Amino acid sequence: MDLFKESGTRQCVFVCFFNRLVDIQNEKLVRARLAREEVASLMARLGYASAFPYIQPEQSHIHLNLKNYDERLLMSLLLKLSIKENLSNIRDPHLTNADGSTDAFVLGVPKTWEQMSNVPKQGVFEAD
């Protein structure tokens, strides 16, 4: 990605070739060359559920606006994945509600969110 100096050009190239990627496990090599802002923009363009790095999500900062369907879908998928692996994989989770109040999830993300219908339809979820 160093070939493309401008951020907009890098993002357009990534979007053009993303769905042609055969070895998705190597997508992390390209993602590592992008700035955090570029990754956020790409996820918005490609869709959060399809562009999330499921193979190695450890280095990802999760920032989901739960009013958007695709981001609620990703929240549910992440919880299903973490239940299969280890719930502690979602580090420092918190939800900022629409009124500005914050839920720190001291006991972890509610397991009921595994069902997408139980994920709140408002607020911003963040985790590392």
Side-chain angles (χ1 to χ4, degrees), residues 75 79 87 90 93 105 107-113 125:
M75 180 71 247
L79 196 57
L87 281 172
I90 299 178
F105 297 123
L107 300 175
V109 181
K111 289 184 181 179
T112 58
W113 288 12
F125 177 85

Side-chain angles (χ1 to χ4, degrees), residues 10-67:
R10 276 193 301 274
Q11 290 181 43
C12 285
V13 169
F14 190 89
V15 168
C16 286
F17 290 106
F18 181 76
N19 288 322
R20 295 178 182 205
L21 191 60
V22 177
D23 50 352
I24 195 67
Q25 68 275 12
N26 290 327
E27 179 261 351
K28 65 184 176 194
L29 300 173
V30 176
R31 189 180 291 259
R33 301 291 223 173
L34 302 171
R36 181 179 269 190
E37 299 81 27
E38 289 176 311
V39 171
S41 176
L42 285 168
M43 288 185 72
R45 288 177 71 178
L46 293 167
Y48 282 80
S50 64
F52 187 78
Y54 294 98
I55 304 295
Q56 247 183 341
E58 297 85 21
Q59 305 302 318
S60 299
H61 175 77
I62 303 165
H63 181 94
L64 303 174
N65 187 340
L66 299 179
K67 73 177 181 180

Side-chain angles (χ1 to χ4, degrees), residues 67-121:
K67 73 177 181 180
N68 300 321
Y69 177 87
D70 193 44
E71 295 174 59
R72 286 195 312 274
L73 175 62
L74 178 56
M75 180 71 247
S76 179
L77 292 172
L78 284 175
L79 196 57
K80 288 178 184 181
L81 182 62
S82 69
I83 288 171
K84 296 287 185 191
E85 291 186 350
N86 188 349
L87 281 172
S88 66
N89 286 348
I90 299 178
R91 297 180 310 269
D92 302 323
H94 61 277
L95 176 70
T96 304
N97 296 306
D99 63 2
S101 63
T102 303
D103 294 327
F105 297 123
V106 177
L107 300 175
V109 181
K111 289 184 181 179
T112 58
W113 288 12
E114 185 178 9
Q115 296 297 321
M116 192 175 156
S117 59
N118 294 330
V119 177
K121 291 181 173 58

